[in-house]
Short mmCIF file of all heavy atoms in Angstrom, two decimals:
data_model
loop_
_atom_site.label_atom_id
_atom_site.label_comp_id
_atom_site.label_asym_id
_atom_site.label_seq_id
_atom_site.Cartn_x
_atom_site.Cartn_y
_atom_site.Cartn_z
N SER L 1 -57.61 -38.44 -56.19
CA SER L 1 -57.05 -37.45 -57.08
C SER L 1 -55.94 -38.06 -57.91
O SER L 1 -55.19 -38.92 -57.45
CB SER L 1 -56.48 -36.29 -56.29
OG SER L 1 -57.51 -35.48 -55.79
N GLU L 2 -55.77 -37.55 -59.09
CA GLU L 2 -54.78 -38.04 -60.02
C GLU L 2 -53.41 -37.43 -59.81
O GLU L 2 -52.42 -37.92 -60.30
CB GLU L 2 -55.24 -37.75 -61.46
CG GLU L 2 -56.53 -38.46 -61.84
CD GLU L 2 -56.34 -39.95 -61.98
OE1 GLU L 2 -55.27 -40.38 -62.43
OE2 GLU L 2 -57.28 -40.68 -61.65
N GLY L 3 -53.33 -36.30 -59.11
CA GLY L 3 -52.06 -35.62 -58.95
C GLY L 3 -51.87 -34.56 -60.02
O GLY L 3 -52.65 -34.45 -60.97
N LEU L 4 -50.84 -33.76 -59.89
CA LEU L 4 -50.62 -32.64 -60.80
C LEU L 4 -50.33 -33.10 -62.22
O LEU L 4 -50.88 -32.58 -63.18
CB LEU L 4 -49.45 -31.78 -60.29
CG LEU L 4 -49.09 -30.57 -61.16
CD1 LEU L 4 -50.26 -29.60 -61.21
CD2 LEU L 4 -47.86 -29.88 -60.62
N PHE L 5 -49.48 -34.10 -62.38
CA PHE L 5 -49.06 -34.51 -63.72
C PHE L 5 -50.07 -35.43 -64.41
O PHE L 5 -50.01 -35.61 -65.61
CB PHE L 5 -47.70 -35.20 -63.65
CG PHE L 5 -46.61 -34.28 -63.18
CD1 PHE L 5 -45.95 -34.52 -61.99
CD2 PHE L 5 -46.25 -33.16 -63.91
CE1 PHE L 5 -44.96 -33.67 -61.55
CE2 PHE L 5 -45.27 -32.30 -63.49
CZ PHE L 5 -44.61 -32.55 -62.29
N LEU L 6 -50.99 -36.01 -63.66
CA LEU L 6 -51.95 -36.93 -64.28
C LEU L 6 -53.37 -36.36 -64.25
O LEU L 6 -54.34 -37.10 -64.22
CB LEU L 6 -51.92 -38.28 -63.56
CG LEU L 6 -50.57 -39.01 -63.62
CD1 LEU L 6 -50.62 -40.29 -62.79
CD2 LEU L 6 -50.19 -39.34 -65.05
N GLY L 7 -53.49 -35.04 -64.24
CA GLY L 7 -54.80 -34.42 -64.36
C GLY L 7 -55.32 -33.73 -63.13
O GLY L 7 -56.46 -33.28 -63.12
N GLY L 8 -54.54 -33.61 -62.08
CA GLY L 8 -55.02 -32.96 -60.86
C GLY L 8 -55.15 -31.46 -61.02
O GLY L 8 -56.01 -30.83 -60.41
N GLY L 9 -54.32 -30.86 -61.84
CA GLY L 9 -54.43 -29.44 -62.14
C GLY L 9 -53.91 -28.54 -61.03
O GLY L 9 -53.39 -28.97 -60.01
N GLY L 10 -54.08 -27.25 -61.26
CA GLY L 10 -53.59 -26.22 -60.36
C GLY L 10 -54.34 -26.16 -59.04
O GLY L 10 -53.79 -25.72 -58.04
N LYS L 11 -55.59 -26.57 -59.03
CA LYS L 11 -56.37 -26.54 -57.79
C LYS L 11 -55.75 -27.45 -56.74
O LYS L 11 -55.61 -27.07 -55.58
CB LYS L 11 -57.81 -26.94 -58.08
CG LYS L 11 -58.71 -26.85 -56.87
CD LYS L 11 -60.14 -27.20 -57.23
CE LYS L 11 -61.01 -27.11 -55.99
NZ LYS L 11 -62.38 -27.50 -56.26
N LEU L 12 -55.36 -28.63 -57.14
CA LEU L 12 -54.74 -29.57 -56.22
C LEU L 12 -53.38 -29.04 -55.76
O LEU L 12 -53.05 -29.09 -54.58
CB LEU L 12 -54.57 -30.94 -56.88
CG LEU L 12 -53.87 -32.01 -56.04
CD1 LEU L 12 -54.68 -32.30 -54.79
CD2 LEU L 12 -53.70 -33.28 -56.86
N LEU L 13 -52.61 -28.50 -56.70
CA LEU L 13 -51.30 -27.94 -56.36
C LEU L 13 -51.45 -26.78 -55.38
O LEU L 13 -50.69 -26.66 -54.42
CB LEU L 13 -50.56 -27.49 -57.61
CG LEU L 13 -49.15 -26.94 -57.39
CD1 LEU L 13 -48.25 -28.03 -56.81
CD2 LEU L 13 -48.59 -26.41 -58.69
N GLY L 14 -52.44 -25.92 -55.61
CA GLY L 14 -52.70 -24.80 -54.70
C GLY L 14 -53.07 -25.27 -53.31
O GLY L 14 -52.62 -24.70 -52.31
N ALA L 15 -53.90 -26.30 -53.22
CA ALA L 15 -54.29 -26.83 -51.91
C ALA L 15 -53.09 -27.42 -51.19
O ALA L 15 -52.92 -27.22 -49.97
CB ALA L 15 -55.37 -27.89 -52.09
N GLN L 16 -52.24 -28.11 -51.91
CA GLN L 16 -51.05 -28.68 -51.29
C GLN L 16 -50.08 -27.59 -50.85
O GLN L 16 -49.48 -27.68 -49.77
CB GLN L 16 -50.36 -29.64 -52.26
CG GLN L 16 -51.14 -30.90 -52.49
CD GLN L 16 -50.54 -31.77 -53.57
OE1 GLN L 16 -49.76 -31.30 -54.41
NE2 GLN L 16 -50.89 -33.05 -53.57
N PHE L 17 -49.92 -26.54 -51.65
CA PHE L 17 -49.05 -25.43 -51.29
C PHE L 17 -49.57 -24.73 -50.04
O PHE L 17 -48.81 -24.44 -49.11
CB PHE L 17 -48.94 -24.44 -52.46
CG PHE L 17 -48.09 -23.26 -52.15
CD1 PHE L 17 -46.71 -23.37 -52.14
CD2 PHE L 17 -48.66 -22.03 -51.84
CE1 PHE L 17 -45.91 -22.28 -51.83
CE2 PHE L 17 -47.87 -20.94 -51.54
CZ PHE L 17 -46.49 -21.06 -51.54
N PHE L 18 -50.87 -24.44 -49.99
CA PHE L 18 -51.46 -23.80 -48.83
C PHE L 18 -51.28 -24.66 -47.58
O PHE L 18 -50.93 -24.14 -46.51
CB PHE L 18 -52.95 -23.53 -49.06
CG PHE L 18 -53.64 -22.99 -47.85
CD1 PHE L 18 -53.47 -21.68 -47.46
CD2 PHE L 18 -54.46 -23.81 -47.08
CE1 PHE L 18 -54.10 -21.18 -46.33
CE2 PHE L 18 -55.10 -23.33 -45.94
CZ PHE L 18 -54.92 -22.00 -45.57
N SER L 19 -51.49 -25.95 -47.71
CA SER L 19 -51.32 -26.85 -46.57
C SER L 19 -49.88 -26.85 -46.08
O SER L 19 -49.63 -26.84 -44.87
CB SER L 19 -51.73 -28.27 -46.95
OG SER L 19 -53.08 -28.30 -47.31
N SER L 20 -48.93 -26.85 -46.99
CA SER L 20 -47.52 -26.83 -46.62
C SER L 20 -47.16 -25.55 -45.88
O SER L 20 -46.47 -25.56 -44.86
CB SER L 20 -46.63 -26.98 -47.85
OG SER L 20 -46.84 -28.22 -48.47
N VAL L 21 -47.63 -24.41 -46.39
CA VAL L 21 -47.35 -23.12 -45.74
C VAL L 21 -47.99 -23.08 -44.35
O VAL L 21 -47.38 -22.61 -43.39
CB VAL L 21 -47.85 -21.95 -46.62
CG1 VAL L 21 -47.80 -20.64 -45.87
CG2 VAL L 21 -47.03 -21.88 -47.89
N PHE L 22 -49.19 -23.61 -44.22
CA PHE L 22 -49.87 -23.63 -42.93
C PHE L 22 -49.09 -24.48 -41.92
O PHE L 22 -48.91 -24.07 -40.77
CB PHE L 22 -51.29 -24.17 -43.08
CG PHE L 22 -52.02 -24.26 -41.77
CD1 PHE L 22 -52.57 -23.13 -41.21
CD2 PHE L 22 -52.13 -25.46 -41.10
CE1 PHE L 22 -53.24 -23.19 -39.98
CE2 PHE L 22 -52.77 -25.54 -39.88
CZ PHE L 22 -53.34 -24.40 -39.32
N VAL L 23 -48.62 -25.65 -42.33
CA VAL L 23 -47.87 -26.52 -41.43
C VAL L 23 -46.56 -25.86 -41.01
O VAL L 23 -46.17 -25.92 -39.84
CB VAL L 23 -47.62 -27.90 -42.09
CG1 VAL L 23 -46.59 -28.70 -41.31
CG2 VAL L 23 -48.92 -28.67 -42.19
N ILE L 24 -45.88 -25.21 -41.94
CA ILE L 24 -44.63 -24.51 -41.60
C ILE L 24 -44.90 -23.39 -40.60
O ILE L 24 -44.18 -23.24 -39.61
CB ILE L 24 -43.95 -23.97 -42.88
CG1 ILE L 24 -43.42 -25.14 -43.71
CG2 ILE L 24 -42.84 -22.99 -42.55
CD1 ILE L 24 -42.97 -24.75 -45.10
N ALA L 25 -45.93 -22.58 -40.84
CA ALA L 25 -46.26 -21.48 -39.93
C ALA L 25 -46.67 -21.99 -38.56
O ALA L 25 -46.26 -21.45 -37.53
CB ALA L 25 -47.37 -20.62 -40.54
N PHE L 26 -47.47 -23.03 -38.52
CA PHE L 26 -47.92 -23.60 -37.25
C PHE L 26 -46.74 -24.17 -36.47
O PHE L 26 -46.60 -23.93 -35.27
CB PHE L 26 -48.96 -24.70 -37.51
CG PHE L 26 -49.45 -25.35 -36.25
CD1 PHE L 26 -50.40 -24.73 -35.47
CD2 PHE L 26 -48.96 -26.59 -35.85
CE1 PHE L 26 -50.86 -25.33 -34.30
CE2 PHE L 26 -49.40 -27.18 -34.69
CZ PHE L 26 -50.36 -26.55 -33.91
N SER L 27 -45.86 -24.88 -37.15
CA SER L 27 -44.68 -25.46 -36.50
C SER L 27 -43.78 -24.37 -35.94
O SER L 27 -43.27 -24.48 -34.81
CB SER L 27 -43.89 -26.33 -37.48
OG SER L 27 -44.68 -27.38 -37.95
N PHE L 28 -43.58 -23.29 -36.70
CA PHE L 28 -42.77 -22.18 -36.22
C PHE L 28 -43.38 -21.56 -34.98
O PHE L 28 -42.69 -21.29 -33.99
CB PHE L 28 -42.60 -21.12 -37.32
CG PHE L 28 -41.87 -19.90 -36.85
CD1 PHE L 28 -40.49 -19.90 -36.77
CD2 PHE L 28 -42.57 -18.76 -36.46
CE1 PHE L 28 -39.80 -18.78 -36.32
CE2 PHE L 28 -41.90 -17.64 -36.01
CZ PHE L 28 -40.50 -17.65 -35.95
N ALA L 29 -44.69 -21.31 -35.01
CA ALA L 29 -45.36 -20.66 -33.89
C ALA L 29 -45.27 -21.51 -32.62
O ALA L 29 -44.98 -21.00 -31.54
CB ALA L 29 -46.82 -20.38 -34.25
N VAL L 30 -45.53 -22.79 -32.74
CA VAL L 30 -45.49 -23.67 -31.57
C VAL L 30 -44.06 -23.76 -31.03
O VAL L 30 -43.84 -23.68 -29.81
CB VAL L 30 -46.05 -25.07 -31.90
CG1 VAL L 30 -45.78 -26.05 -30.78
CG2 VAL L 30 -47.54 -24.98 -32.19
N THR L 31 -43.08 -23.90 -31.91
CA THR L 31 -41.68 -23.97 -31.47
C THR L 31 -41.26 -22.67 -30.80
O THR L 31 -40.56 -22.69 -29.78
CB THR L 31 -40.77 -24.26 -32.67
OG1 THR L 31 -41.18 -25.48 -33.28
CG2 THR L 31 -39.32 -24.37 -32.26
N TYR L 32 -41.69 -21.54 -31.32
CA TYR L 32 -41.37 -20.25 -30.74
C TYR L 32 -41.95 -20.13 -29.33
O TYR L 32 -41.28 -19.68 -28.40
CB TYR L 32 -41.88 -19.13 -31.64
CG TYR L 32 -41.43 -17.76 -31.22
CD1 TYR L 32 -40.14 -17.31 -31.48
CD2 TYR L 32 -42.30 -16.90 -30.55
CE1 TYR L 32 -39.72 -16.06 -31.10
CE2 TYR L 32 -41.89 -15.64 -30.16
CZ TYR L 32 -40.60 -15.23 -30.44
OH TYR L 32 -40.19 -13.99 -30.05
N VAL L 33 -43.20 -20.53 -29.16
CA VAL L 33 -43.85 -20.46 -27.84
C VAL L 33 -43.14 -21.39 -26.85
O VAL L 33 -42.88 -21.01 -25.71
CB VAL L 33 -45.35 -20.79 -27.95
CG1 VAL L 33 -45.98 -20.99 -26.59
CG2 VAL L 33 -46.07 -19.68 -28.71
N VAL L 34 -42.81 -22.60 -27.27
CA VAL L 34 -42.10 -23.52 -26.39
C VAL L 34 -40.74 -22.94 -26.01
O VAL L 34 -40.33 -23.01 -24.84
CB VAL L 34 -41.94 -24.91 -27.06
CG1 VAL L 34 -40.98 -25.79 -26.30
CG2 VAL L 34 -43.29 -25.59 -27.19
N GLY L 35 -40.04 -22.34 -26.95
CA GLY L 35 -38.76 -21.71 -26.66
C GLY L 35 -38.89 -20.57 -25.67
O GLY L 35 -38.07 -20.43 -24.76
N LEU L 36 -39.92 -19.75 -25.82
CA LEU L 36 -40.15 -18.67 -24.86
C LEU L 36 -40.43 -19.20 -23.46
O LEU L 36 -39.92 -18.66 -22.46
CB LEU L 36 -41.32 -17.79 -25.31
CG LEU L 36 -41.05 -16.81 -26.44
CD1 LEU L 36 -42.33 -16.07 -26.81
CD2 LEU L 36 -39.97 -15.82 -26.04
N VAL L 37 -41.23 -20.25 -23.38
CA VAL L 37 -41.54 -20.83 -22.07
C VAL L 37 -40.28 -21.37 -21.41
O VAL L 37 -40.03 -21.14 -20.23
CB VAL L 37 -42.62 -21.94 -22.20
CG1 VAL L 37 -42.76 -22.73 -20.93
CG2 VAL L 37 -43.95 -21.33 -22.60
N ILE L 38 -39.45 -22.08 -22.18
CA ILE L 38 -38.20 -22.61 -21.62
C ILE L 38 -37.29 -21.47 -21.18
O ILE L 38 -36.71 -21.52 -20.08
CB ILE L 38 -37.50 -23.52 -22.64
CG1 ILE L 38 -38.29 -24.81 -22.84
CG2 ILE L 38 -36.08 -23.84 -22.20
CD1 ILE L 38 -37.78 -25.68 -23.97
N GLU L 39 -37.14 -20.45 -22.01
CA GLU L 39 -36.25 -19.33 -21.68
C GLU L 39 -36.70 -18.61 -20.42
O GLU L 39 -35.89 -18.23 -19.59
CB GLU L 39 -36.18 -18.35 -22.85
CG GLU L 39 -35.28 -17.17 -22.62
CD GLU L 39 -33.82 -17.55 -22.41
OE1 GLU L 39 -33.36 -18.53 -23.00
OE2 GLU L 39 -33.15 -16.84 -21.65
N ARG L 40 -37.99 -18.44 -20.23
CA ARG L 40 -38.50 -17.70 -19.08
C ARG L 40 -38.57 -18.55 -17.81
O ARG L 40 -38.69 -17.99 -16.72
CB ARG L 40 -39.86 -17.10 -19.39
CG ARG L 40 -39.77 -16.06 -20.49
CD ARG L 40 -41.07 -15.32 -20.65
NE ARG L 40 -41.05 -14.52 -21.85
CZ ARG L 40 -40.69 -13.24 -21.88
NH1 ARG L 40 -40.30 -12.65 -20.78
NH2 ARG L 40 -40.72 -12.58 -23.01
N THR L 41 -38.52 -19.86 -17.93
CA THR L 41 -38.59 -20.71 -16.74
C THR L 41 -37.19 -21.17 -16.33
O THR L 41 -36.69 -20.75 -15.29
CB THR L 41 -39.52 -21.92 -16.96
OG1 THR L 41 -39.09 -22.64 -18.12
CG2 THR L 41 -40.96 -21.47 -17.13
N ILE L 42 -36.56 -22.03 -17.11
CA ILE L 42 -35.26 -22.58 -16.71
C ILE L 42 -34.11 -22.01 -17.51
O ILE L 42 -32.96 -22.15 -17.11
CB ILE L 42 -35.25 -24.12 -16.81
CG1 ILE L 42 -35.48 -24.59 -18.24
CG2 ILE L 42 -36.26 -24.72 -15.85
CD1 ILE L 42 -35.32 -26.08 -18.43
N GLY L 43 -34.39 -21.38 -18.64
CA GLY L 43 -33.34 -20.78 -19.46
C GLY L 43 -32.61 -21.80 -20.31
O GLY L 43 -32.61 -22.99 -20.03
N PHE L 44 -31.96 -21.29 -21.34
CA PHE L 44 -31.19 -22.13 -22.25
C PHE L 44 -29.72 -22.19 -21.90
O PHE L 44 -29.02 -23.11 -22.25
CB PHE L 44 -31.31 -21.61 -23.69
CG PHE L 44 -32.60 -21.96 -24.36
CD1 PHE L 44 -33.50 -20.97 -24.70
CD2 PHE L 44 -32.91 -23.26 -24.69
CE1 PHE L 44 -34.68 -21.28 -25.33
CE2 PHE L 44 -34.09 -23.59 -25.32
CZ PHE L 44 -34.98 -22.58 -25.64
N ARG L 45 -29.22 -21.16 -21.22
CA ARG L 45 -27.79 -21.02 -21.00
C ARG L 45 -27.40 -21.49 -19.60
O ARG L 45 -28.19 -21.42 -18.67
CB ARG L 45 -27.37 -19.56 -21.15
CG ARG L 45 -27.62 -18.95 -22.49
CD ARG L 45 -26.67 -19.43 -23.52
NE ARG L 45 -25.30 -19.21 -23.07
CZ ARG L 45 -24.29 -19.08 -23.86
NH1 ARG L 45 -24.47 -19.15 -25.14
NH2 ARG L 45 -23.08 -18.92 -23.41
N VAL L 46 -26.17 -21.93 -19.48
CA VAL L 46 -25.59 -22.22 -18.17
C VAL L 46 -24.73 -21.02 -17.78
O VAL L 46 -24.47 -20.13 -18.59
CB VAL L 46 -24.73 -23.51 -18.19
CG1 VAL L 46 -25.60 -24.72 -18.49
CG2 VAL L 46 -23.60 -23.40 -19.18
N THR L 47 -24.25 -21.01 -16.55
CA THR L 47 -23.43 -19.89 -16.10
C THR L 47 -22.08 -19.91 -16.80
O THR L 47 -21.64 -20.95 -17.32
CB THR L 47 -23.21 -19.95 -14.58
OG1 THR L 47 -22.48 -21.13 -14.28
CG2 THR L 47 -24.53 -19.93 -13.83
N GLU L 48 -21.40 -18.78 -16.78
CA GLU L 48 -20.08 -18.69 -17.41
C GLU L 48 -19.08 -19.59 -16.68
O GLU L 48 -18.20 -20.19 -17.31
CB GLU L 48 -19.60 -17.24 -17.41
CG GLU L 48 -18.35 -17.02 -18.22
CD GLU L 48 -17.97 -15.56 -18.33
OE1 GLU L 48 -18.85 -14.69 -18.20
OE2 GLU L 48 -16.77 -15.30 -18.55
N ASP L 49 -19.22 -19.71 -15.36
CA ASP L 49 -18.33 -20.60 -14.60
C ASP L 49 -18.51 -22.06 -15.01
O ASP L 49 -17.55 -22.81 -15.11
CB ASP L 49 -18.59 -20.45 -13.10
CG ASP L 49 -18.18 -19.08 -12.57
OD1 ASP L 49 -17.30 -18.45 -13.20
OD2 ASP L 49 -18.74 -18.65 -11.55
N ALA L 50 -19.76 -22.46 -15.26
CA ALA L 50 -20.01 -23.83 -15.70
C ALA L 50 -19.43 -24.07 -17.08
O ALA L 50 -18.91 -25.16 -17.36
CB ALA L 50 -21.51 -24.11 -15.70
N GLU L 51 -19.50 -23.08 -17.96
CA GLU L 51 -18.90 -23.22 -19.29
C GLU L 51 -17.39 -23.39 -19.19
O GLU L 51 -16.80 -24.22 -19.88
CB GLU L 51 -19.20 -21.99 -20.15
CG GLU L 51 -20.55 -22.03 -20.80
CD GLU L 51 -20.70 -20.91 -21.81
OE1 GLU L 51 -19.94 -20.90 -22.81
OE2 GLU L 51 -21.57 -20.05 -21.61
N THR L 52 -16.77 -22.60 -18.32
CA THR L 52 -15.32 -22.65 -18.18
C THR L 52 -14.88 -23.99 -17.58
O THR L 52 -13.90 -24.59 -18.03
CB THR L 52 -14.83 -21.49 -17.28
OG1 THR L 52 -15.27 -20.26 -17.87
CG2 THR L 52 -13.32 -21.48 -17.18
N ALA L 53 -15.61 -24.47 -16.58
CA ALA L 53 -15.25 -25.73 -15.92
C ALA L 53 -15.53 -26.94 -16.81
O ALA L 53 -14.90 -27.97 -16.68
CB ALA L 53 -16.02 -25.87 -14.61
N GLY L 54 -16.47 -26.81 -17.71
CA GLY L 54 -16.86 -27.91 -18.58
C GLY L 54 -18.28 -28.33 -18.26
O GLY L 54 -18.56 -28.78 -17.15
N ILE L 55 -19.16 -28.18 -19.19
CA ILE L 55 -20.58 -28.41 -18.95
C ILE L 55 -20.86 -29.88 -18.62
O ILE L 55 -21.68 -30.17 -17.75
CB ILE L 55 -21.42 -27.94 -20.15
CG1 ILE L 55 -21.24 -26.42 -20.31
CG2 ILE L 55 -22.88 -28.26 -19.97
CD1 ILE L 55 -21.85 -25.86 -21.56
N ASP L 56 -20.20 -30.81 -19.29
CA ASP L 56 -20.41 -32.23 -18.98
C ASP L 56 -20.05 -32.52 -17.53
O ASP L 56 -20.77 -33.25 -16.84
CB ASP L 56 -19.59 -33.12 -19.90
CG ASP L 56 -20.17 -33.20 -21.30
OD1 ASP L 56 -21.38 -32.98 -21.44
OD2 ASP L 56 -19.41 -33.48 -22.23
N LEU L 57 -18.96 -31.97 -17.08
CA LEU L 57 -18.51 -32.20 -15.70
C LEU L 57 -19.49 -31.58 -14.71
O LEU L 57 -19.87 -32.20 -13.72
CB LEU L 57 -17.11 -31.63 -15.50
CG LEU L 57 -16.47 -31.86 -14.14
CD1 LEU L 57 -16.31 -33.35 -13.86
CD2 LEU L 57 -15.12 -31.18 -14.07
N VAL L 58 -19.93 -30.38 -14.98
CA VAL L 58 -20.82 -29.67 -14.06
C VAL L 58 -22.20 -30.30 -14.02
O VAL L 58 -22.77 -30.52 -12.95
CB VAL L 58 -20.91 -28.18 -14.44
CG1 VAL L 58 -21.97 -27.47 -13.62
CG2 VAL L 58 -19.57 -27.50 -14.28
N LEU L 59 -22.76 -30.61 -15.17
CA LEU L 59 -24.14 -31.10 -15.22
C LEU L 59 -24.27 -32.60 -15.02
O LEU L 59 -25.27 -33.07 -14.47
CB LEU L 59 -24.79 -30.71 -16.56
CG LEU L 59 -24.99 -29.22 -16.80
CD1 LEU L 59 -25.63 -29.00 -18.17
CD2 LEU L 59 -25.83 -28.58 -15.72
N HIS L 60 -23.28 -33.37 -15.48
CA HIS L 60 -23.42 -34.82 -15.46
C HIS L 60 -22.40 -35.51 -14.56
O HIS L 60 -22.47 -36.72 -14.37
CB HIS L 60 -23.27 -35.40 -16.88
CG HIS L 60 -24.23 -34.79 -17.85
ND1 HIS L 60 -25.58 -34.96 -17.78
CD2 HIS L 60 -24.01 -33.99 -18.92
CE1 HIS L 60 -26.16 -34.30 -18.76
NE2 HIS L 60 -25.23 -33.70 -19.47
N GLY L 61 -21.44 -34.76 -14.05
CA GLY L 61 -20.44 -35.35 -13.17
C GLY L 61 -19.38 -36.15 -13.89
O GLY L 61 -18.66 -36.92 -13.28
N GLU L 62 -19.28 -36.01 -15.19
CA GLU L 62 -18.24 -36.70 -15.94
C GLU L 62 -17.74 -35.78 -17.03
O GLU L 62 -18.46 -34.93 -17.53
CB GLU L 62 -18.75 -38.00 -16.55
CG GLU L 62 -19.94 -37.82 -17.48
CD GLU L 62 -20.51 -39.13 -17.95
OE1 GLU L 62 -20.60 -40.08 -17.17
OE2 GLU L 62 -20.87 -39.20 -19.14
N GLY L 63 -16.49 -35.93 -17.37
CA GLY L 63 -15.91 -35.06 -18.38
C GLY L 63 -14.99 -35.83 -19.29
O GLY L 63 -14.81 -37.04 -19.15
N TYR L 64 -14.38 -35.12 -20.20
CA TYR L 64 -13.46 -35.71 -21.15
C TYR L 64 -12.10 -35.07 -20.96
O TYR L 64 -11.98 -33.87 -20.72
CB TYR L 64 -13.93 -35.47 -22.59
CG TYR L 64 -15.26 -36.12 -22.86
CD1 TYR L 64 -16.44 -35.40 -22.80
CD2 TYR L 64 -15.33 -37.47 -23.18
CE1 TYR L 64 -17.66 -36.01 -23.04
CE2 TYR L 64 -16.53 -38.09 -23.41
CZ TYR L 64 -17.71 -37.34 -23.35
OH TYR L 64 -18.89 -37.95 -23.59
N LYS L 65 -11.07 -35.86 -21.06
CA LYS L 65 -9.73 -35.35 -20.92
C LYS L 65 -9.00 -35.53 -22.24
O LYS L 65 -8.92 -36.64 -22.76
CB LYS L 65 -8.98 -36.08 -19.82
CG LYS L 65 -7.58 -35.54 -19.59
CD LYS L 65 -6.90 -36.24 -18.46
CE LYS L 65 -5.51 -35.66 -18.29
NZ LYS L 65 -4.79 -36.31 -17.20
N PHE L 66 -8.52 -34.41 -22.78
CA PHE L 66 -7.77 -34.46 -24.03
C PHE L 66 -6.29 -34.23 -23.72
O PHE L 66 -5.93 -33.35 -22.96
CB PHE L 66 -8.25 -33.38 -25.00
CG PHE L 66 -9.67 -33.59 -25.44
CD1 PHE L 66 -10.69 -32.80 -24.95
CD2 PHE L 66 -9.98 -34.58 -26.33
CE1 PHE L 66 -11.99 -32.98 -25.35
CE2 PHE L 66 -11.27 -34.79 -26.75
CZ PHE L 66 -12.30 -33.99 -26.25
N ASP L 67 -5.43 -35.05 -24.28
CA ASP L 67 -4.00 -34.88 -24.07
C ASP L 67 -3.40 -33.95 -25.07
O ASP L 67 -3.75 -33.82 -26.16
CB ASP L 67 -3.27 -36.24 -24.15
CG ASP L 67 -3.67 -37.12 -22.97
OD1 ASP L 67 -3.95 -36.59 -21.90
OD2 ASP L 67 -3.65 -38.36 -23.17
#
């Protein structure tokens, strides 16, 4: 194909637009399903106590000290 500016015309542009919309919709759907699976199995959030203590310290055993 020559592309839009070199003679490809609207048909090529339409096919590319449709393909782009399809990829965006597919990516959203898959990401949404993966997010639901994570939320229902292990969850995204830590406990409030872990947030207060410092997530790095609680989850990894190391933290940062700011003076």
Side-chain angles (χ1 to χ4, degrees):
S1 285
E2 297 290 325
L4 179 62
F5 297 116
L6 299 176
K11 183 177 180 183
L12 178 62
L13 183 62
Q16 290 173 339
F17 179 76
F18 174 76
S19 298
S20 297
V21 170
F22 178 79
V23 167
I24 290 169
F26 179 79
S27 300
F28 175 80
V30 170
T31 302
Y32 188 77
V33 169
V34 169
L36 283 177
V37 169
I38 291 172
E39 180 63 33
R40 295 189 191 267
T41 55
I42 62 173
F44 282 114
R45 300 286 306 205
V46 296
T47 64
E48 189 174 335
D49 293 335
E51 277 189 63
T52 303
I55 297 172
D56 285 335
L57 184 61
V58 172
L59 295 179
H60 305 294
E62 57 186 40
Y64 297 98
K65 182 177 180 181
F66 296 106
D67 292 329

